[in-house]
Amino acid sequence: MNIEILSILVLIGMFVIATILPINMGALAFAAAFIVGSLIMGMSPNDIFEGFPSDLFLTLVGITYLFAIAQNNGTIDWLVEQAVKLVRGHMALIPWVMFLVAAIITGFGALGPAAVAILAPVALRFATQYRISTVMMGLMVIHGAQGGGFSPISVYGGITNQIVEKAGLPYGPTSLFLSSLFFNLAIAIIVFFVFGGWKSLREHATATGPDPDTHTAGISRAIVGHGGTPASPAYHRSDVSPSGAHIPSSEGLTSERLMTLVGLTALAIGALVFKFNVGLVAITVAVALALLSPKTQKAAIDKVSWSTVLLIAGIITYVGVLQKAGTVDYVASGISGLGMPLLAALLLCFTGAIVSAFASSTALLGAIIPLAVPFLMQGHISAIGVVAAIAISTTIVDTSPFSTNGALVVANAPEAERENVLRKLLIYSAFIAIIGPVIAWLVLVVPGIV
């Protein structure tokens, strides 16, 4: 068996093991990098570590650390409460506000599962109280999170853009973000009408009774394939932060929260306008906020998504070994051998969608995009369009109950509806896994104008 085939089988084995067992795929990838790289190929440690994504490592740590601070000091809570005020008396706007808040949270750097874990308990309580479809509300939250998930300062955006930039391909961070945002917005519009949102628009129904509790404690689910790490504690407020600092629930927009909003704005301006490194700006803003309120932020570092950091660092390091082994060129030559770049792009979109429905989207992004690089270098089709189509196809299926986002929606649904929600999400995810890649391909790849 040649080294190219062996290394591919090892990669497939990692996805299978991490999907079945609560073992972090990144840890498996580092072990595989050592076994395949050092023991089989005779690579030196320095050769292996050349593939370690130090820039992306800092981006992941900085962004998730900053978001943890925003969650700790109640800034996210304040944003959710402001969103609640917007929908008083306007029931039809409830799903859209949840979509918007989810997009904002992930757009500023939160992981998709973290945003869904924060909003799902609140959103599904809204759905129950105002007799809105639970499935629709859950899907609006998930697609909102995915819509903002590819902003230039987000985790998904950082992973994708840095892989493409490192490969020397033309890349458009803004195009990627807007493609994902509008694609998920279009899906959300369809979901809204298919699952009964049109009724509230037609009837102009208004909400009555008390507002839902925005401090609801929901249910947390383990991230399968990440090593069993909770996606995030289901969101709820208490008067004491994890560090033990007192946080009165009626504080409103405190100076601490205001400074956090200023910091998030500074991150966006620094990264998008001045083109500063996202990771360096994020960690600088986080440290500045921690210095302003060290007691409140004491436990924020523990909320950094270390399982995701390990996952991405391990996968990309192993992909570096694959590149040195010639595996990426081997696969790419097979794809190019089809003689039809458009068909090759479609196959990669389908691969991303189907595998991601059961495995980690974050890990898959780091593994599948490099496979497209060699044939994209030929310049026959738009690299920006293909990358956007693959990225969207890989993440829109996170509605699956087998993924963290879908599992969080099922877990936070009312017990009497849980089986029905599970069944509908399965049907919906199967449908979107088939139709989504085709539409993304037709819209973003075939025209070649992105």
Side-chain angles (χ1 to χ4, degrees):
M1 183 182 298
N2 61 36
I3 188 62
E4 291 89 352
I5 298 297
L6 177 61
S7 58
I8 292 172
L9 292 177
V10 170
L11 179 63
I12 294 172
M14 286 192 301
F15 274 94
V16 173
I17 292 172
T19 301
I20 297 173
L21 301 175
I23 300 175
N24 189 289
M25 197 185 304
L28 291 171
F30 276 120
F34 170 68
I35 294 171
V36 175
S38 291
L39 300 185
I40 298 178
M41 295 177 56
M43 293 172 60
S44 68
N46 287 339
D47 290 334
I48 293 175
F49 289 138
E50 282 181 6
F52 183 84
S54 55
D55 189 7
L56 185 54
F57 172 86
L58 183 60
T59 298
L60 293 172
V61 172
I63 287 176
T64 54
Y65 181 34
L66 177 57
F67 180 79
I69 289 176
Q71 191 172 3
N72 257 19
N73 64 24
T75 302
I76 304 301
D77 179 69
W78 181 82
L79 288 173
V80 173
E81 289 179 348
Q82 298 312 301
V84 170
K85 292 179 182 179
L86 291 175
V87 302
R88 286 179 178 169
H90 300 87
M91 189 176 73
L93 294 179
I94 294 175
W96 291 109
V97 169
M98 290 301 161
F99 178 94
L100 177 63
V101 173
I104 290 173
I105 292 175
T106 54
F108 275 102
L111 288 165
V116 175
I118 288 169
L119 291 175
V122 178
L124 296 187
R125 185 179 177 88
F126 264 126
T128 300
Q129 182 168 340
Y130 297 137
R131 291 179 293 181
I132 299 173
S133 167
T134 303
V135 175
M136 179 187 73
M137 190 68 85
L139 290 174
M140 294 293 280
V141 171
I142 294 174
H143 283 299
Q146 301 303 344
F150 282 95
S151 81
I153 59 174
S154 69
V155 173
Y156 282 166
I159 293 169
T160 305
N161 291 324
Q162 289 188 35
I163 291 174
V164 175
E165 181 183 16
K166 186 177 179 181
L169 287 169
Y171 70 104
T174 303
S175 296
L176 174 63
F177 169 50
L178 293 178
S179 296
S180 175
L181 178 61
F182 286 116
F183 198 94
N184 280 279
L185 177 61
I187 294 176
I189 292 172
I190 296 172
V191 165
F192 181 76
F193 285 98
V194 168
F195 286 94
W198 62 274
K199 290 182 179 178
S200 58
L201 289 176
R202 185 186 61 185
E203 297 170 2
H204 301 287
T206 59
T208 57
D211 289 330
D213 182 8
T214 58
H215 307 150
T216 303
I219 299 173
S220 177
R221 294 294 291 254
I223 300 179
V224 178
H226 286 224
T229 305
S232 169
Y235 187 61
H236 66 281
R237 277 292 311 279
S238 66
D239 291 339
V240 179
S241 76
S243 63
H246 182 66
I247 304 178
S249 60
S250 59
E251 280 185 344
L253 185 60
T254 63
S255 59
E256 198 174 335
R257 295 171 187 174
L258 179 61
M259 291 305 298
T260 302
L261 293 174
V262 170
L264 292 172
T265 304
L267 170 62
I269 293 174
L272 301 179
V273 178
F274 295 100
K275 307 300 180 182
F276 293 144
N277 180 275
V278 174
L280 290 173
V281 176
I283 201 73
T284 301
V285 172
V287 169
L289 293 174
L291 288 172
L292 290 173
S293 184
K295 290 184 178 179
T296 304
Q297 316 311 330
K298 184 178 179 182
I301 196 68
D302 295 330
K303 286 189 175 183
V304 172
S305 185
W306 295 112
S307 65
T308 301
V309 173
L310 176 60
L311 171 72
I312 291 302
I315 286 293
I316 293 183
T317 300
Y318 183 69
V319 169
V321 172
L322 295 183
Q323 290 173 331
K324 290 184 179 296
T327 305
V328 173
D329 290 334
Y330 175 80
V331 173
S333 64
I335 295 174
S336 300
L338 295 173
M340 302 175 65
L342 286 176
L343 177 59
L346 180 60
L347 290 176
L348 287 175
C349 288
F350 269 118
T351 301
I354 294 171
V355 176
S356 183
F358 302 93
S360 166
S361 299
T362 314
L364 197 58
L365 280 173
I368 198 169
I369 291 177
L371 297 179
V373 169
F375 85 84
L376 289 177
M377 295 291 285
Q378 299 173 7
H380 297 309
I381 53 178
S382 167
I384 296 175
V386 172
V387 169
I390 292 173
I392 291 171
S393 299
T394 302
T395 53
I396 57 171
V397 293
D398 283 351
T399 55
S400 165
F402 301 113
S403 71
T404 306
N405 289 343
L408 283 166
V409 170
V410 173
N412 284 286
E415 188 172 354
E417 297 183 38
R418 203 162 292 165
E419 288 298 323
N420 184 49
V421 170
L422 174 64
R423 181 177 58 82
K424 288 185 176 179
L425 284 183
L426 280 171
I427 296 172
Y428 175 85
S429 300
F431 180 78
I432 206 72
I434 296 171
I435 300 298
V438 175
I439 296 175
W441 178 75
L442 288 172
V443 174
L444 299 171
V445 179
V446 173
I449 60 174
V450 178

